[in-house]
Amino acid sequence: MNAIPDRRALQLPLERFDVSDPALYQDQSYFAYFERLRREDPVHWCAESRFGPYWSITKYKDIMAAEVNHQVFSSELGGIQVLDQPRDMQRPSFIRMDPPKHDEQRKVVQPIVAPGNLANMEPLIRERTRQVLDGLPRNEEFDWVERVSIELTTLMLATLFDFPIEERRKLTWWSDVAIADVTDPEAPVRSEEERFAELKQMAEAMGRLFEERKARAPGFDLLSMLAHGEATREMPLREFMGNLALLIVGGNDTTRNSMSGGLYALHQNPGEWDKLRAHPALIPNMVSEIIRWVTPVIHMRRTASRDFELGGKAIRAGDKVCMWYVSGNRDPEAIEEPDRFIIDRPRARQHLSFGFGVHRCVGNRLAELQLRILWEEILARFERIEVLAAPKRVYSNFIHGIRSMPVRIPG
Ligand code: HEM
């Protein structure tokens, strides 16, 4: 790991700042870089990086300005990450589209997260959460990520797709493959070709289920919705692959890392644990604070469709523009005492972790529901959960991932 110590952020000339370095997120040394960028150069040009030149937007208000201006800041003209996918391996999906096509496809899957459907799903989510928590060992070290975060989010995903429950870990695998940085020695795939081959297998397996659902009356799962949706039922294979990967990653990694990161945040802030135990009604507010604190998606990228001035900087048509949510969520001009984890923070939901504008996370209410139920059920059974070591983090500048975190539940 090629980690740069924090103090370099104070000494390095701004023109040498490159916040796209995944090591900064693996070793959590990014904070000081963004603090300086927000103060001295909030819309920053990085002329040279492994991913080519790019702009960084680091302040809350500038990120919002880009989010709501999809005419200028396009999701379709380039990728959604600072990393460009090789052209012949691109997998279009609605997160990589601009309106109107984006809106038509998004509308197809939206009903799965409608309030009525979430209410219907709540008992099942609770039941599964209880089973997973009741199956945990006592007085014994185990990995929270593996036993709780991955298991719960994967069960959820299998439900959303009506995917065979006993094969659910395939979904976890495909999600990990879809987001891996192929240069990470621990990545599940080591080249774009390998990634493409794995995701093709995913599309084939899901394709069989898709055809089955198409032949049946419309059901209330994501595959059935895609199979019957007017804007999606005739999707070409690559677009099918892209939309599947989007829904699998969207619903998996992000919530998974909030489940792990939230427990770690409470461990680091024992006063907040006490507050939570004394006031369990704070759980919904705490869930929002966890999602801000963890910021599961590090950045999203747009591509400028025309010349545009932002924060006094001249962005040119075709430029890559990254919105760093990890920075906007720690901007003191928008969030009071942003470097403190406060479970009863006022207006906790005003964070950037779900993005904003036309691409604002489809699954935000579902993610909150899963996390709320998890914490309700944790409080109902465990007095304490001891975190035994700092989490091991993923080498990525896109997903703020926790690979493992050893814990013990006394009892
Ligand atoms: C989009 C974060 C959970 C499905 C997004 C975006 C972010 C995000 C940052 C892009 C927003 C933008 O570009 O403005 C998160 C976080 C989650 C989470 C932090 C959990 C804590 C979920 C879940 C689902 C999901 C559970 C699945 C049902 C999607 C989809 C999109 C999306 C389909 C694309 C929306 C579009 O382009 O219109 N999410 N997400 N996400 N998310 Fe989530």
Side-chain angles (χ1 to χ4, degrees):
M1 184 175 71
N2 190 17
I4 310 167
D6 269 17
R7 69 191 137 74
R8 281 205 55 195
L10 303 172
Q11 295 158 354
L12 206 65
L14 283 172
E15 60 274 16
R16 291 200 33 222
F17 266 42
D18 173 14
V19 288
S20 72
D21 178 357
L24 297 178
Y25 306 96
Q26 189 171 42
D27 71 7
Q28 299 283 288
S29 61
Y30 61 90
F31 296 98
Y33 291 85
F34 284 113
E35 214 174 287
R36 208 173 138 205
L37 284 180
R38 282 194 305 269
R39 212 174 37 239
E40 295 178 31
D41 197 19
V43 179
H44 173 262
W45 176 245
C46 174
E48 238 183 81
S49 83
R50 191 181 123 199
F51 311 100
Y54 67 94
W55 289 100
S56 282
I57 312 185
T58 62
K59 278 194 170 188
Y60 187 102
K61 73 169 177 24
D62 292 333
I63 292 175
M64 277 296 206
E67 288 272 16
V68 298
N69 192 349
H70 63 82
Q71 290 88 350
V72 171
F73 297 100
S74 162
S75 299
E76 195 161 310
L77 293 176
I80 54 159
Q81 305 181 39
V82 68
L83 165 76
D84 290 305
Q85 273 169 358
R87 214 161 255 296
D88 56 335
M89 286 176 208
Q90 281 172 7
R91 306 176 299 274
S93 67
F94 66 88
I95 203 169
R96 294 164 198 274
M97 292 172 193
D98 293 332
K101 198 171 173 196
H102 160 270
D103 302 3
E104 289 158 13
Q105 294 202 355
R106 179 175 164 125
K107 237 184 272 160
V108 172
V109 296
Q110 191 106 40
I112 201 146
V113 287
N117 200 46
L118 291 185
N120 290 339
M121 278 196 279
E122 181 162 345
L124 179 64
I125 300 176
R126 192 174 297 281
E127 183 50 38
R128 288 186 168 162
T129 306
R130 285 179 175 159
Q131 275 169 12
V132 167
L133 295 181
D134 286 339
L136 296 175
R138 298 292 186 117
N139 293 317
E140 189 183 297
E141 179 177 328
F142 67 92
D143 179 13
W144 183 261
V145 176
E146 179 62 32
R147 295 288 298 264
V148 179
S149 313
I150 293 183
E151 188 57 8
L152 283 178
T153 41
T154 307
L155 280 166
M156 187 69 243
L157 213 49
T159 309
L160 291 179
F161 280 100
D162 196 9
F163 190 80
I165 274 292
E166 59 291 351
E167 290 180 39
R168 63 187 179 277
R169 286 294 171 126
K170 283 190 183 164
L171 297 169
T172 322
W173 169 253
W174 290 325
S175 174
D176 288 346
V177 164
I179 61 122
D181 183 316
V182 293
T183 66
D184 176 0
E186 293 186 67
V189 282
R190 305 301 303 280
S191 68
E192 288 298 336
E193 287 74 18
E194 255 187 78
R195 189 202 315 271
F196 195 79
E198 285 292 336
L199 293 184
K200 211 159 159 227
Q201 283 191 21
M202 168 192 80
E204 280 159 14
M206 292 295 227
R208 286 191 288 276
L209 295 176
F210 183 84
E211 291 306 323
E212 275 172 38
R213 308 281 155 90
K214 212 174 190 173
R216 283 196 233 146
F220 225 72
D221 64 87
L222 283 171
L223 275 172
S224 182
M225 285 175 184
L226 292 172
H228 292 275
E230 204 176 312
T232 48
R233 63 182 171 220
E234 304 299 343
M235 270 184 293
L237 177 70
R238 269 169 199 267
E239 206 165 302
F240 183 54
M241 273 167 83
N243 275 319
L244 286 177
L246 165 62
L247 292 162
I248 291 176
V249 172
N252 191 40
D253 255 295
T254 48
T255 315
R256 178 205 300 185
N257 292 311
S258 307
M259 290 180 172
S260 312
L263 177 61
Y264 190 55
L266 281 168
H267 164 75
Q268 290 184 303
N269 295 274
E272 299 304 290
W273 248 126
D274 297 340
K275 208 189 268 177
L276 176 65
R277 267 190 290 265
H279 306 284
L282 285 175
I283 289 177
N285 204 75
M286 177 185 77
V287 162
S288 290
E289 177 69 345
I290 287 177
I291 294 170
R292 176 189 78 89
W293 187 253
V294 173
T295 314
V297 178
I298 295 171
H299 82 277
M300 289 292 292
R301 169 238 173 137
R302 303 288 193 256
T303 305
S305 63
R306 60 174 172 82
D307 294 355
F308 190 77
E309 195 183 301
L310 184 74
K313 296 294 179 76
I315 294 174
R316 287 145 307 183
D319 283 353
K320 231 184 232 195
V321 182
C322 294
M323 305 177 291
W324 296 95
Y325 298 137
V326 281
S327 177
N329 273 343
R330 298 294 181 105
D331 181 353
E333 281 178 24
I335 295 165
E336 232 173 273
E337 297 193 274
D339 293 324
R340 285 186 56 206
F341 176 72
I342 306 172
I343 65 168
D344 50 351
R345 173 183 288 287
R347 296 178 304 284
R349 215 167 177 267
Q350 280 178 24
H351 57 69
L352 290 172
S353 297
F354 290 128
F356 208 71
V358 294
H359 291 282
R360 182 172 165 82
C361 177
V362 172
N364 70 81
R365 294 287 181 187
L366 174 60
E368 288 172 348
L369 175 67
Q370 286 177 265
L371 289 162
R372 171 170 67 75
I373 293 175
L374 173 63
W375 281 100
E376 285 168 359
E377 295 301 325
I378 286 177
L379 281 197
R381 349 183 114 53
F382 308 133
E383 184 58 27
R384 258 178 332 132
I385 304 172
E386 296 168 0
V387 177
L388 303 176
K392 205 164 158 239
R393 293 179 189 269
V394 175
Y395 180 83
S396 168
N397 60 23
F398 185 56
I399 294 286
H400 219 167
I402 296 181
R403 210 181 280 289
S404 60
M405 187 169 76
V407 303
R408 181 174 47 215
I409 303 176

